[in-house]
Amino acid sequence: MKIRQVAVLVVVIVLFIISVDLESQISILNTQNGVWSYAAYGNISSLNIKVPIIPNGSSSMGIYSPVSIKIDSYGVAHIYASNLHDLFFAQGFYMAYTRLFQMEIQSLMASGNLSRYLGRTFLNSDLAMRYLGLPFNAYNLELFYKENYPMYYSYMQAFSNGINYYIEHYKEPIYFKLAGFSPFLWTPFDSLVWEEYMTLFLTTGIYEPLLSDVFLNLYGYENISRFYPYYPYFTQNITVIPGDGTVNGFNLTDENVSTNYLWSLDWYDHWATGINNSTLRNNEKLIVAALENISDPLLFQYRGMFNDVGSNSWIVDSNYSDSGYPILANDPHLTLTIPSLWLPEQLHVPGVLNVTGWSLAGIPGVLIGHTQNTSWGITDSEGNSANDYLEYINGSYYLYDGKYYQMQYRNFTYMGKSYSIGLTRNGPIIARIGHYAISVNWTAQRPSLVLVSELMLDESQNYTDMLNALKYWGYPPENFALVSKHHAGYLTAGLYPLIRVTLPNDRIVRVIGSRSLLNGSDPNYSIDGYVPFQYLPQVIDPSRGYAFAPNQPTVWKNYPYPFIGGFWSSGGRATSIDRFLQTHKMNISNTILLQSNLTDSWARLLTPILIKYLEKSNLTVLESEALNYLAKWNYTAYIDSIGMTIYWYTISFIYNDTFYRSFSQNNVTFLPLPFITSIIYTFEEGNFYFNGYNTSTIVPLAFHQAVSYLTDRLGSNVSSWKWGRVHFLFIESITTLNQISIGPLPFYGDDHTVSVGPATPLPAPSYYVTLSSSLREISSPGQDVFLGVIPGGTSEDFYNYFYENQFNYWYHHLYYNFLSISVVAVINLE
Amino acid sequence: MNRVLITYIALQILSIVGFLLTGIALIPIIVSLFLFKSKRSLSMVFGFSMGFISTSIPLLTYDIHAVSKISAFIASITGLNQTLLIVIYPLVVGLASMLMALIGSQTYLVLKDFKN
């Protein structure tokens, strides 16, 4: 009996040990301090936070006076402080409270350190950032601020202190628990390196000339000039700055250079680049290696040449507005993520600053927004602010102006391997094979005061203040839409590096960028200054009453500094905006209408051509039915549009049979497909021929393939071939976990509609839109109208009410009113 | 019986408070040991409820929608049932507490046996 009792006891003890071990293994599910405890933060709730009160001027951890953060029902934080130091401390604290994981991942990604935390999968991305020098640039920039602009540096420090106060005193976000690492302490470097990353994403001139050279080597000058013209076809009257390119009375003709002559030249030729065609061809492997080395396989894949997605903005001056007050609209198109890149906030210091808008998570201040008297928006200008150079290398020496110079090196050990990145006077070497190498000269390699510019915009009270603020904007060059109570205009602000080129007729002209690699050893192709501020593309109160900047050519051909490296979008959205603005005197309602416009202006040109060729062809009954839908289509890309589906698959097969197939055969599928305008133009001119096809052979074939493909995918009932059945929105979580991503949801739009929903123009079972309006802004300071929305919410926590609370508004083209505040929670720092 | 119940209630309160304050699951488990004087079957029931209730109480204080979203998320990445995920921790701690209570009462019995 005793033995049995003892045996039972032993068994129970063994079972007990097993159960305790099991408990420790599932401790992440502990109901008090495991993952469930995050459910206590399902809503952003009122908090009183004890923060050390420090003496004025001290840079210690703490604030000088209490700060109040009021959170409204849309999740927008309104931060009220009595001085800028406390304001930025509170902004940092609030960003950490809502977006800490996002910020830290972004900083790790930009500084090339993801692998350290998340494993070797991210090694290519990390090395790309290091080759391009992002962490080195950010480090230098931090030193520059510290030494030359200590006041602004102190704001960054206060911002970092706010983040770190949160890290040290509050619960780390759930993602850290799941990923298995703890947050690191933030420094100004982390803000600056993310700024560098965003700059890289918006920089033109690093990837484009390399891609352009790959195409040139394979298909020759005739094809590149026909399919990738310097200015996309049909863009003459839709430039950002109206007119022929004259800015402040200065133009190319004044320089005694004929525009017709200049733009008829072969800018890939030896005189323009210092490199002959055979050298370029012999270095094809080097060019591809460079592209591979600097391609970020993560969030923002490398941008293609002539990227046809971008952003929208337009301004209407007081004469063209119903109310007599200017109006501004802006929606920057970026890769959509959840949480959003943007965080809506109001920053308020009495008598100093009162700005509302959107901040980039991890960077102090408000980047896009409005004060009571001013408002501004941003679109990418797509003109080169970087140039690639072919370098001649001998051992550790590079050739320049006939002499060899010792390279400098950036040496580092990463993930157990040593790396050494050489530097020539042009910039870091991104690839090297034998005696040749490619280096990148990029404006971001020199310190620039973007943050100063941003904070000055945040303090602006009139149009002149905004212009003065933008004198400090270095990179990347951006089209700034500017509106005050009585004025409206554009300024393309930023540093455009110039190259002095001697034309074949011996005239000398300073140009922006190149279409191709430049000779790094020849001083003639080195950077020779920057476009002076007074001659940057700009317009105030345009005489026609409006201007717009959805990434189309910034200026026309008589601009005094020709944009040879102008890799603009095809202008489809610009054409739609122009058409609308021409025919409507504007008010807030039709500004909203225009921001949600779903007309594809290029389809309006191409569809009649397709129909013309199809009517001559032998069609099956089903094809005839599809053609009827296409003929009746009004060129809009609504979810229920059938014509859109048939149109898009037809052009997808046109691209597939011609360019994409040829690219595949040559192993260069990374090359971007030519603009649809190049297809339209060559179809119209009757000189389309590529990969063995011409217009009369490719159109019927592509249409036949499209109908057959759609029948297989969607059935033989043509009336059910709705765009929303094949075109979906997918907003991926930064964790890449589908469970907390948004979508796939039926989605409207295409590459060329103002409300954009870009789809790859290649046949696919379903098109997934991953890039669209990252925020929408409509404002009119004169009317006290400030509307906005983002495709997500303010919190990064998927279980939080504010995770995606604005998404449905965004999806349905609705807005919240920044001035209508209903406070739902208050966070007091005291 | 009343004394047993009162002891149980007092220990239960102790373990709830201890767990809420520290989040340490060993508290209800160890507290269960003090049920050793109860009958074996009763100590098992009380022991289980000691661990289960103590570790379930925090869940009731959270936003139910947030709990549901977190469980749906973890369920989707682990492939486990959503409800099971919520209750598995209290169940395991309940089991451990039950076994602890059983160890207590069994040891008590064995020692009493040896004494006799």
Side-chain angles (χ1 to χ4, degrees), chain B residues 9-95:
Chain B
I9 291 169
L11 291 175
Q12 180 71 75
I13 292 169
L14 185 68
S15 73
I16 288 173
V17 173
F19 184 71
L20 281 176
L21 289 178
T22 64
I24 299 170
L26 278 177
I27 290 176
I29 294 172
I30 290 167
V31 167
S32 303
L33 191 62
F34 296 96
L35 293 165
F36 64 90
K37 276 195 175 176
S38 313
K39 275 189 204 166
R40 200 160 59 179
S41 57
L42 210 56
S43 70
M44 282 173 68
V45 173
F46 282 168
F48 179 81
S49 61
M50 188 81 70
F52 186 81
I53 292 174
S54 303
T55 50
S56 297
I57 292 283
L59 288 171
L60 304 176
T61 66
Y62 301 145
D63 179 324
I64 187 72
H65 296 292
V67 170
S68 160
K69 279 184 181 173
I70 292 171
S71 64
F73 170 68
I74 298 175
S76 64
I77 54 177
T78 58
L80 295 172
N81 178 282
Q82 204 176 326
T83 314
L84 178 70
L85 275 168
I86 298 174
V87 298
I88 194 165
Y89 190 80
L91 280 176
V92 169
V93 177
L95 180 68

Side-chain angles (χ1 to χ4, degrees), chain A residues 166 233 249 271 303 390 541 544 552 624 626 677 686 733 739 824:
Chain A
Y166 178 87
Y233 300 106
W271 61 266
R303 305 175 60 221
L390 186 66
D541 297 327
R544 69 182 179 195
Q552 81 278 32
S624 297
T677 47
S733 157
Q739 296 81 4
V824 295

Side-chain angles (χ1 to χ4, degrees), chain A residues 509-794:
Chain A
V509 63
R510 293 207 294 171
V511 302
I512 296 169
S514 164
R515 318 293 290 185
S516 171
L517 278 169
L518 295 167
N519 186 340
S521 66
D522 187 340
N524 288 324
Y525 300 97
S526 295
I527 302 304
D528 183 35
Y530 297 87
V531 175
F533 185 80
Q534 72 179 115
Y535 297 124
L536 285 171
Q538 54 197 285
V539 63
I540 300 176
D541 297 327
S543 56
R544 69 182 179 195
Y546 61 87
F548 45 94
N551 319 103
Q552 81 278 32
T554 315
V555 282
W556 196 240
K557 295 179 177 175
N558 205 15
Y559 184 60
Y561 305 100
F563 275 94
I564 303 305
F567 294 86
W568 294 295
S569 81
S570 71
R573 287 171 289 115
T575 302
S576 297
I577 292 167
D578 185 37
R579 184 186 292 267
F580 192 96
L581 291 174
Q582 271 182 34
T583 50
H584 295 75
K585 200 167 182 190
M586 296 299 283
N587 53 40
I588 300 298
S589 300
N590 54 29
T591 302
I592 291 172
L593 209 60
L594 178 52
Q595 215 165 43
S596 60
N597 187 289
L598 289 168
T599 301
D600 181 334
S601 284
W602 296 148
R604 190 190 293 275
L605 295 182
L606 182 54
T607 307
I609 300 173
L610 298 178
I611 291 170
K612 188 179 87 181
Y613 281 95
L614 291 172
E615 280 172 342
K616 294 178 199 160
S617 311
N618 291 326
L619 302 176
T620 64
V621 175
L622 200 62
E623 286 169 353
S624 297
E625 198 185 340
L627 182 60
N628 269 337
Y629 274 98
L630 195 59
K632 287 177 192 161
W633 182 42
N634 65 357
Y635 318 117
T636 55
Y638 287 95
I639 284 171
D640 59 0
S641 170
I642 297 155
M644 181 68 217
T645 313
I646 298 164
Y647 169 77
W648 198 262
Y649 275 90
T650 303
I651 62 171
S652 291
F653 275 102
I654 290 173
Y655 276 114
N656 188 55
D657 294 335
T658 54
F659 296 97
Y660 192 72
R661 186 161 298 159
S662 179
F663 292 170
S664 299
Q665 284 158 359
N666 288 304
N667 293 321
V668 289
T669 49
F670 54 80
L671 281 181
L673 299 163
F675 284 150
I676 193 69
T677 47
S678 298
I679 307 292
I680 299 169
Y681 184 82
T682 50
F683 276 16
E684 269 184 353
E685 296 293 305
N687 66 354
F688 176 86
Y689 44 91
F690 198 85
N691 204 33
Y693 291 103
N694 60 37
T695 318
S696 55
T697 54
I698 191 64
V699 173
L701 174 67
F703 184 72
H704 170 75
Q705 289 169 322
V707 171
S708 166
Y709 190 83
L710 286 167
T711 308
D712 283 350
R713 298 289 321 165
L714 306 175
S716 56
N717 179 3
V718 182
S719 67
S720 73
W721 292 359
K722 294 177 178 174
W723 187 227
R725 287 186 69 197
V726 290
H727 187 247
F728 299 97
L729 174 72
F730 183 67
I731 305 181
E732 191 175 38
S733 157
I734 56 163
T735 63
T736 70
L737 295 168
N738 288 350
Q739 296 81 4
I740 51 173
S741 302
I742 295 178
L745 292 169
F747 201 51
Y748 40 76
D750 69 18
D751 298 42
H752 313 295
T753 54
V754 177
S755 179
V756 74
T760 311
L762 289 174
S766 300
Y767 296 106
Y768 277 76
V769 175
T770 56
L771 182 151
S772 188
S773 306
S774 61
L775 65 83
R776 295 196 184 109
E777 172 194 34
I778 291 176
S779 58
S780 176
Q783 299 177 73
D784 275 342
V785 171
F786 303 107
L787 309 175
V789 71
I790 55 171
T794 46

Side-chain angles (χ1 to χ4, degrees), chain A residues 2 5 8-9 12 15-16 19 23 26 29-33 35-37 39 43 178 737 739-740 798-799, chain B residues 19-20 23 25 29 55 58 62-63 66-67 69-71 73-74 76 85 88-89 96 99 102-103 106-107 110:
Chain A
K2 278 179 190 168
Q5 295 281 15
V8 169
L9 183 61
V12 172
L15 288 174
F16 172 74
S19 66
E23 184 277 332
I26 61 167
L29 297 173
N30 183 311
T31 49
Q32 181 63 5
N33 53 25
V35 287
W36 306 115
S37 60
N43 275 312
L178 296 171
L737 295 168
Q739 296 81 4
I740 51 173
F798 63 87
Y799 49 83
Chain B
F19 184 71
L20 281 176
I29 294 172
T55 50
Y62 301 145
D63 179 324
V67 170
K69 279 184 181 173
I70 292 171
S71 64
F73 170 68
I74 298 175
S76 64
L85 275 168
I88 194 165
Y89 190 80
L99 292 168
L102 195 54
I103 288 168
Q106 189 69 14
T107 310
V110 170

